């Protein structure tokens, strides 16, 4: 079956612009995660959605970052007023009800000029 | 909060040689443990996982890992490395009962394979 998909695969933007990154999880997976992978920082947890529960936003680095998950499926990560330090690969993962294996998408490489 | 240490940033082995990648974790109880592999430009693929039970876990691609509670370790092993194993390997821990099941990753170990 189809895996986790993310779009766009690459995004180049100018400092100060807003960007939206999309994640389509595996059908039937109730849990969805966003991570950020950057040089020197490794993989960092950003946010977690589980079903209809309130998301765990404890990993979001600032209030410029937000995410939503519509209809329990597709998720969008929004970064407002992008900064150069936001440049990273943003990875999305999904899983069946936790604890369980997280399946990762290929990521979106964000470059902020 | 849990943490993960992968002490080796980069390892180079010859094809056919054995491999051991180290992972140490910090957590107050027995965590969930994972090894993922990432090839250049790709997402992460799960190699194996430990939740409970037998402490020697078999995974895909001929990899295995052993959970040692006394050493807080979950080292990844492979008896004979293939050139296609060249990639970056990440150890990760999840905290049972934490409610979020987010994973905490180590910084990764990059594996190079000499033909």
């Amino acid at each position: 079956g189809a895996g986790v998909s993310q779009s766009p695969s690459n995004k180049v933007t100018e400092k100060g612009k807003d960007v939206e990154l999309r994640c389509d999880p595996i059908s039937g997976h109730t849990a969805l995660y966003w991570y950020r992978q950057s040089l020197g920082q490794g993989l960092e947890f950003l946010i977690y959605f589980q079903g209809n529960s309130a998301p765990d936003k404890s990993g979001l680095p600032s209030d410029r970052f937000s995410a939503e998950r519509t209809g329990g499926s597709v998720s969008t990560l929004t970064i407002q007023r992008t900064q150069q330090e936001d440049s990273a690969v943003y990875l999305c993962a999904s899983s069946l009800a936790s604890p369980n294996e997280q399946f990762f998408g290929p990521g979106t490489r964000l470059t902020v000029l | 909060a849990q943490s993960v240490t992968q002490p080796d940033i980069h390892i180079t082995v010859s094809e056919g040689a054995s491999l051991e990648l180290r992972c140490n974790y910090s957590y107050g109880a027995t965590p969930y443990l994972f090894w993922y592999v990432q090839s250049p430009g790709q997402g992460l693929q799960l190699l194996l996982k430990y939740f409970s039970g037998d402490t020697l876990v078999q995974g895909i691609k001929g990899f295995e890992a052993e959970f040692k509670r006394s050493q807080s370790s979950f080292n990844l092993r492979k008896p004979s490395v293939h050139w296609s194993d060249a990639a970056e390997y990440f150890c990760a821990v999840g905290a049972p009962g934490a409610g979020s099941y987010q994973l905490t990753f180590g910084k990764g170990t990059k594996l190079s394979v000499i033909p």
Side-chain angles (χ1 to χ4, degrees), chain A residues 9 30 36 42 52 57 65 69 105:
Chain A
S9 55
T30 57
R36 179 170 69 175
N52 295 321
K57 304 179 181 179
F65 288 72
R69 188 178 185 191

Side-chain angles (χ1 to χ4, degrees), chain A residues 46-97:
Chain A
L46 296 177
I47 188 169
Y48 160 75
F49 297 90
Q50 172 61 58
N52 295 321
S53 302
D56 176 357
K57 304 179 181 179
S58 59
L60 295 179
S62 78
D63 59 8
R64 295 186 296 105
F65 288 72
S66 63
E68 63 178 18
R69 188 178 185 191
T70 54
S73 182
V74 172
S75 177
T76 301
L77 177 68
T78 300
I79 309 174
Q80 296 178 308
R81 305 180 303 281
T82 52
Q83 304 294 313
Q84 287 183 332
E85 61 263 28
D86 299 334
S87 295
V89 176
Y90 290 82
L91 292 166
C92 175
S94 70
S95 73
L96 295 169

